[in-house]
Amino acid sequence: MHAVFHMNKIKILYLVSTFKKSGPLNILYGIVNGLDKTKFTILIVALSAEKSNSMQQEFQEMGCEVLYLKNSRLKGLFKNKKTIQGLVDQKEVQLCHSHGLRADIINSKLKRVKRFTTIHNNPYDDYPMKFGKIKGKMMAAKHIKVISLIDHPIACSYSIAHWFSNETGVETEVIPNGIVVKDYQKSDDLIQARQLELGLPENKKIMLASGSLIKRKAPEVIIKAFQLLNQDDIVLLFIGSGELEEQLRAQYESKNILFKGNVKNVYDYLNKSDYYVSASLSEGLPNSVLEALSMELPVLLSDIPAHREIAGDHYPYLFKATDILELKDKMNEIIDHKRNNTLLESLPNRIKEHFEADIMAGKYESLYLAQCQITEK
């Protein structure tokens, strides 16, 4: 008796809220891109249509079938589960893998399918900051309950897995996030050309912050520390949008503090930048930091578990998340190279060895295949 795999392709249904570009969607892209397409047929279902910044075409170009459910969010509460169960049965789906609260709620109720979810955040850190304390705590409790009902919860980092185990009793697999590492040429001519295309100032160094402009990312901490630097030859550049964008632009935009909003060509901005900074209060395992390090940028990171997991406990440019003065001092140090940068120089290799999308996808593929083994008769 030998364990063998189905001769037919394994059918996976990925369930997402929308196709709007985001951290979780980038991770899903990395998983799908790295799966062996001779073994899997992939269907991706979005519960709602996105208004902008869609990744739908990118998934279709990889050979995925893509569907939207047309229900409003309110109607969806009553109808989506039935629709998805119908798809699972009709298409003989073997695995359903959900990302996010709405998708997880549906997945937790499905029958006749093996259910997976990726946990992208600490709900008690994320939701109260996003939705207010009372509603946020209720949503966090709901999400943790839902995750506990799904067969295979997978944490995107060891720090998230430890938190779930210690605080909720939910045991998870761990598959760290991975990114598609770009092979960018860094010639002076190319950098200068891209600089002009992006509308960035010449002859100034650029400190980049990328990601949503929301409270959890603490962009104002970065701005205030940068203002204390008082160096006219460095520009602080934000890419990304969010609820704080309008207020921050009105209050702080100047010749040395720039806001570019959402951009499609993130790597062009990384390629032009000299430093990267994140003051996040909480993260799952942030793609933006992995991307910056893959481009060999010196990074300044708030001292939170997810950042330590990426950079290591002894990384010299960690700062207390809300400490403006300490961040200002670290900015000075990284600009003046006041420390031995051996740890900094070793980080891009660490990204390639541990946090590449193909490594992540390989781990998901092994997990999927293990759950679809059958015994030969």
Side-chain angles (χ1 to χ4, degrees):
M1 303 277 284
H2 298 285
V4 296
F5 297 122
H6 290 280
M7 294 303 291
N8 297 328
K9 287 186 181 182
I10 293 166
K11 293 175 182 170
I12 303 183
L13 187 159
Y14 288 104
L15 203 52
V16 297
S17 183
T18 73
F19 280 104
K20 185 171 182 178
K21 190 173 180 66
S22 63
L25 261 288
N26 284 331
I27 292 304
L28 179 55
Y29 178 90
I31 296 169
V32 171
N33 188 53
L35 289 181
D36 182 345
K37 306 303 189 297
T38 66
K39 295 176 183 171
F40 299 95
T41 299
I42 296 164
L43 167 65
I44 309 178
V45 177
L47 301 177
S48 307
E50 62 286 341
K51 292 172 185 167
S52 62
N53 221 4
S54 177
M55 292 184 71
Q56 176 191 343
Q57 190 175 344
E58 292 170 58
F59 286 106
Q60 286 174 317
E61 285 169 0
M62 288 193 286
C64 303
E65 184 183 354
V66 167
L67 291 175
Y68 287 89
L69 301 192
K70 305 290 190 204
N71 298 323
S72 68
R73 290 194 175 226
L74 184 61
K75 271 190 181 173
L77 289 173
F78 305 101
K79 295 192 171 182
N80 284 349
K81 185 259 171 184
K82 186 178 178 184
T83 305
I84 297 294
Q85 185 68 63
L87 275 173
V88 165
D89 294 339
Q90 175 203 337
K91 291 181 177 284
E92 298 180 326
V93 170
Q94 288 138 289
L95 308 175
C96 181
H97 187 163
S98 50
H99 295 260
L101 175 55
R102 284 203 299 155
D104 285 348
I105 289 171
I106 293 168
N107 196 11
S108 72
K109 298 172 182 174
L110 295 178
K111 311 288 185 196
R112 299 177 291 283
V113 68
K114 295 180 187 297
R115 302 167 302 167
F116 297 75
T117 178
T118 297
I119 306 167
H120 293 279
N121 63 6
N122 175 332
Y124 276 107
D125 282 348
D126 200 353
Y127 296 157
M129 273 188 265
K130 193 171 183 181
F131 300 105
K133 280 188 180 175
I134 294 170
K135 184 180 178 184
K137 282 184 176 178
M138 288 171 66
M139 288 174 69
K142 170 76 172 173
H143 201 172
I144 287 163
K145 173 67 175 168
V146 165
I147 286 167
S148 74
L149 299 173
I150 294 175
D151 310 312
H152 302 283
I154 302 152
C156 72
S157 66
Y158 286 94
S159 51
I160 292 291
H162 291 154
W163 186 88
F164 264 81
S165 179
N166 294 337
E167 301 298 326
T168 74
V170 175
E171 299 300 330
T172 65
E173 300 262 1
V174 182
I175 300 180
N177 282 351
I179 58 160
V180 178
V181 175
K182 307 276 185 181
D183 183 21
Y184 260 68
Q185 292 173 289
K186 284 185 168 283
S187 79
D188 289 341
D189 288 346
L190 271 174
I191 288 174
Q192 194 168 12
R194 287 203 178 101
Q195 185 173 2
L196 294 171
E197 282 168 27
L198 301 175
L200 297 175
E202 294 181 71
N203 306 319
K204 290 195 176 187
K205 292 197 168 180
I206 291 174
M207 185 172 287
L208 181 70
S210 69
S212 303
L213 292 172
I214 55 176
K215 289 177 188 173
R216 180 170 58 81
K217 302 279 188 180
E220 211 161 6
V221 169
I222 299 172
I223 292 169
K224 288 179 175 176
F226 180 79
Q227 286 178 322
L228 291 175
L229 269 186
N230 200 24
Q231 292 196 25
D232 201 46
D233 60 341
I234 297 181
V235 168
L236 176 61
L237 173 66
F238 286 92
I239 56 175
S241 190
E243 65 195 27
L244 300 179
E245 183 180 1
E246 200 176 319
Q247 172 211 323
L248 293 173
R249 278 181 183 271
Q251 198 168 347
Y252 297 111
E253 194 159 34
S254 65
K255 67 185 175 77
N256 277 9
I257 300 177
L258 307 176
F259 297 86
K260 288 287 182 179
N262 284 325
V263 300
K264 288 185 177 177
N265 52 337
V266 171
Y267 278 94
D268 283 345
Y269 286 92
L270 286 167
N271 197 37
K272 176 57 200 84
S273 297
D274 299 279
Y275 314 99
Y276 178 89
V277 58
S278 169
S280 275
L281 306 175
S282 173
E283 291 284 355
L285 197 77
N287 292 5
S288 53
V289 174
L290 298 176
E291 289 163 353
L293 285 168
S294 77
M295 296 291 284
E296 302 183 7
L297 284 185
V299 295
L300 291 154
L301 302 173
S302 51
D303 191 357
I304 58 174
H307 286 162
R308 281 179 172 265
E309 192 166 326
I310 292 170
D313 290 335
H314 304 294
Y315 184 63
Y317 299 112
L318 295 170
F319 61 92
K320 187 180 175 188
T322 54
D323 194 325
I324 292 165
L325 289 176
E326 188 183 7
L327 175 52
K328 186 264 293 184
D329 290 342
K330 297 285 184 181
M331 284 178 174
N332 263 326
E333 283 181 18
I334 211 165
I335 290 163
D336 295 341
H337 304 296
K338 285 179 180 170
R339 288 178 181 268
N340 179 330
N341 281 353
T342 311
L343 269 173
L344 188 58
E345 287 159 11
S346 69
L347 279 179
N349 283 334
R350 184 174 162 90
I351 300 306
K352 286 170 186 168
E353 286 167 19
H354 299 287
F355 301 107
E356 270 207 339
D358 284 348
I359 296 169
M360 170 185 70
K363 291 177 179 177
Y364 275 104
E365 181 169 306
S366 296
L367 196 57
Y368 296 154
L369 292 173
Q371 291 306 312
C372 289
Q373 280 185 321
I374 56 171
T375 305
E376 195 175 41
K377 292 180 182 176

